[in-house]
Amino acid sequence: MAASWGTAILLLVIPCVCSTVFYRDQQTWFEGVFLSSMCPINVSASTLYGIMFDAGSTGTRIHVYTFVQKMPGQLPFLEGEIFDSVKPGLSAFVDQPKQAAETVQELLEVAKDSIPRSHWKRTPVVLKATAGLRLLPEKKAQALLFEVEEIFKKSPFLVPDDSVSNSFYVFKCELCIIIILLPYLLPYHTFGEIISSE
């Protein structure tokens, strides 16, 4: 009997250790089996999560990243990602900033469903705006970003001081993702020690 339980648990754990990108319209392996707060994906202390919003001209995209730090003092590596998006982008709500923020709230629900509740308070959430917002008048762009930041502050996640910015980023490189999120994932002194040793 013990062997049977061990086999069952092993079969549940194996999918968690594979680097994977899940799209929200796909059914992930644990949907319908576990509550979001009980999601068994890597709930150890060495597992870190990060939420990155890419506010583009045609839509807003959320990337929920899972990182694993195998050894203290080492850079964590990217293990998996859950992705979703909404259209249109924030710039389409140039005169309706609160409606723009509502689209971000919708995507935050994806993060809440994807990250174990025990990790919410230590999971940083950031938004980097790309071309769409940079083409708007500065005051209108800042009004949109202000409303997004207010939504972040009402969420259960960790909101850094500079969580929302109108800067251009391209999320194609794993190292770039880690560099953006790492200062929020690790204590400041640990981050400095790792960077100086690399």
Side-chain angles (χ1 to χ4, degrees):
M1 182 69 177
S4 297
W5 275 108
T7 303
I9 292 171
L10 182 62
L11 289 173
L12 287 173
V13 170
I14 286 174
C16 301
V17 300
C18 300
S19 180
T20 308
V21 177
F22 286 117
Y23 293 88
R24 191 60 186 164
D25 56 358
Q26 290 181 306
Q27 185 177 34
T28 53
W29 68 271
F30 55 83
E31 283 184 331
V33 180
F34 297 95
L35 298 175
S36 61
S37 60
M38 297 172 59
C39 173
I41 294 184
N42 305 314
V43 291
S44 68
S46 62
T47 301
L48 309 168
Y49 296 88
I51 306 166
M52 181 87 72
F53 280 86
D54 173 9
S57 56
T58 60
T60 302
R61 294 164 283 278
I62 185 173
H63 305 262
V64 181
Y65 297 110
T66 303
F67 301 91
V68 174
Q69 187 179 30
K70 287 190 173 181
M71 296 285 293
Q74 290 184 355
L75 280 173
F77 68 88
L78 180 62
E79 183 188 60
E81 173 190 2
I82 291 177
F83 168 87
D84 202 353
S85 64
V86 295
K87 292 183 178 181
L90 295 181
S91 57
F93 301 94
V94 58
D95 295 315
Q96 301 159 315
K98 290 189 181 296
Q99 288 188 30
E102 288 174 6
T103 66
V104 172
Q105 177 64 59
E106 177 184 339
L107 290 174
L108 275 174
E109 295 302 313
V110 174
K112 290 170 71 174
D113 288 342
S114 307
I115 299 171
R117 186 182 294 269
S118 59
H119 285 61
W120 285 359
K121 289 184 178 180
R122 49 183 159 151
T123 296
V125 55
V126 298
L127 179 142
K128 303 299 180 184
T130 52
L133 285 187
R134 291 191 296 123
L135 296 175
L136 296 180
E138 181 67 18
K139 286 187 177 180
K140 290 185 179 292
Q142 289 304 318
L144 286 168
L145 295 177
F146 172 80
E147 293 297 336
V148 170
E149 189 170 16
E150 290 300 299
I151 289 292
F152 281 180
K153 289 177 180 177
K154 293 176 184 176
S155 79
F157 300 110
L158 173 65
V159 183
D161 291 337
D162 56 347
S163 61
V164 176
S165 64
N166 192 7
S167 305
F168 179 74
Y169 285 89
V170 179
F171 309 115
K172 299 295 184 183
C173 167
E174 178 176 331
L175 182 59
C176 297
I177 295 166
I178 293 175
I179 288 174
I180 293 170
L181 290 173
L182 188 61
Y184 313 123
L185 291 169
L186 300 176
Y188 180 79
H189 69 279
T190 304
F191 170 69
E193 290 171 1
I194 293 175
I195 293 300
S196 62
S197 65
E198 289 295 319

